[in-house]
Each structure stands twice: as C-alpha cells, then as structure tokens.
Amino acid sequence: LGKNNGVKNSVISLEGITQGVSFASREKVLLEQKRCDYQPHIVLLPTGANLEIVNNDAVLHNVHTFDSQAKTMFNIAQPVKGVRFPVKSSQFKAGEIYEATCDAGHPWMSAFVVVAEHPYYAVTDAEGKFELKNVPPGAYKIRMWHEGVSATRVDMERGKPKLFTFEKPYEEIQDVTVLANGNVSVDFKLTLRSDSLTQRF
C-alpha cells in the first residue's frame, strides 16, 4: 500500500476497444531475476512481442510458468548468472495472464505476464495511480485485476516454506465514457475478503 492506501501492481485495461493508437514496439520484453526476486513483478507483454527471461543472480533459479487454468506453460532451469531464455510470442495467448514462480528454493518469487491485446493497459504505481493516454471518444468497460493479497496455504518442508498458495485474484469492471479532448477519473476499491485465512501443512 502506498500513501492514502493506494494499491500497487493492479492491472487496468479497457475492454472491447477496436481503434486508437498502435503498439510502439513488439520486438522483445525483458523479465529479470535480481536478488532472488522477479523484476518487474507485473510484465505487460504486447500481443506479438517476444519475452526474454534472464537470471542476474549467481544462484540457480527455475522459471515455472502457468496459465490461468494452472496448466504449465514452460518449466526451465537457469543455473548460472547471465543465462537467458527466449519465449516466442506464439506461445502466449492474447488477453491471458501467466504466473511465473521459482521452484529452486525461492517460493516467495512470483511475477505475472499480462498479454496486452492493445496499448490501453496500465499497471498502477506505488501510489495506486494509473493513466491511459489517447483513448478515442466512446463508451467502454474498464477492468481492474489484482493478483490477490493473502496466502491461503503454506506448504512447509523441514521447517521452511516450500510453496505459497494465494487467494484468487480480485477483479472489478466499471463503465466509463470518454469525451473528445476530455479527461476522465476512475476509482477502484479493493475490499479484502473476510475468509482469507492461512493454513500451514
């Protein structure tokens, strides 16, 4: 949470938009592993762009990536610093959200790859703010997606966490009307669920 309880790393997108600006570049997007963490935590990957995953740590990382149905997309080891793994755009489905974890003893590591169908996607900053620029006039649906907050299960091994399982994502959709040469303010409210209790196994 940022100042005034703004929520970082929420994904904002317009639905059903068929006009407006095009992607500036679709060549390659980078997901890095630094200090046993994925950076950035949320990757916006334009449809048609390739993803490259690089290990910047001098330790073994394992990139295990799932689709929204928990089906493994790829599972690769990156044993040494500097190793790179390219993922072709054809492996990704437009509009899908993929989760990346690390099975090599770093269960806290996670990232999400959001395959953006158009440029009208944004990730909220540290203060929970976002901006969608050059939206054509019209009536739209605007969506907020957040991965979830609470760990509902922690699997332990030899007294250490082996796997974290989190609650389902939060989603909210609102109607928004954009006027010519106008600005529109949209606020989302993320209310935590009351049944998010952590169990240890």
Side-chain angles (χ1 to χ4, degrees), residues 2-199:
K3 188 167 52 179
N4 300 319
N5 288 333
V7 179
K8 184 180 180 181
N9 284 330
S10 294
V11 178
I12 310 296
S13 61
L14 290 183
E15 293 193 337
I17 187 166
T18 58
Q19 56 182 330
V21 298
S22 300
F23 286 117
S25 173
R26 298 189 185 194
E27 294 181 1
K28 184 172 64 177
V29 176
L30 195 65
L31 174 61
E32 300 183 85
Q33 295 155 100
K34 292 182 177 179
R35 297 180 293 278
C36 292
D37 199 8
Y38 282 113
Q39 298 182 21
H41 181 62
I42 304 288
V43 177
L44 290 182
L45 182 70
T47 301
N50 297 322
L51 178 69
E52 187 169 80
I53 304 172
V54 58
N55 183 2
N56 288 310
D57 294 330
V59 298
L60 168 67
H61 286 306
N62 190 68
V63 187
H64 194 174
T65 305
F66 308 85
D67 64 15
S68 59
Q69 305 303 312
K71 180 181 178 182
T72 294
M73 180 186 175
F74 55 83
N75 189 356
I76 57 103
Q78 294 190 303
V80 295
K81 185 175 182 178
V83 68
R84 294 173 176 265
F85 178 70
V87 188
K88 292 190 176 297
S89 61
S90 58
Q91 293 184 245
F92 295 102
K93 181 180 178 181
E96 181 69 88
I97 298 177
Y98 300 89
E99 182 178 8
T101 61
C102 179
D103 296 337
H106 311 119
W108 60 86
M109 289 180 64
S110 70
F112 292 87
V113 179
V114 180
V115 185
E117 303 168 275
H118 49 70
Y120 300 106
Y121 278 71
V123 179
T124 56
D125 64 16
E127 302 301 329
K129 296 179 180 179
F130 67 93
E131 184 177 23
L132 300 176
K133 297 181 179 180
N134 302 315
V135 177
Y140 303 99
K141 300 285 187 182
I142 186 168
R143 176 188 293 269
M144 181 277 296
W145 178 94
H146 188 276
E147 67 194 81
V149 176
S150 300
T152 56
R153 173 173 171 150
V154 182
D155 291 293
M156 307 294 289
E157 186 175 82
R158 298 175 185 172
K160 294 182 179 180
K162 179 183 178 182
L163 176 69
F164 292 97
T165 302
F166 286 88
E167 63 181 329
K168 64 181 182 180
Y170 291 82
E171 291 188 82
E172 182 182 338
I173 299 176
Q174 295 186 26
D175 294 311
V176 61
T177 299
V178 178
L179 302 177
N181 301 315
N183 294 319
V184 180
S185 178
V186 179
D187 293 314
F188 291 98
K189 184 177 182 180
L190 196 158
T191 302
L192 296 181
R193 303 180 182 104
S194 60
D195 58 349
S196 298
L197 302 177
T198 301
Q199 303 179 55

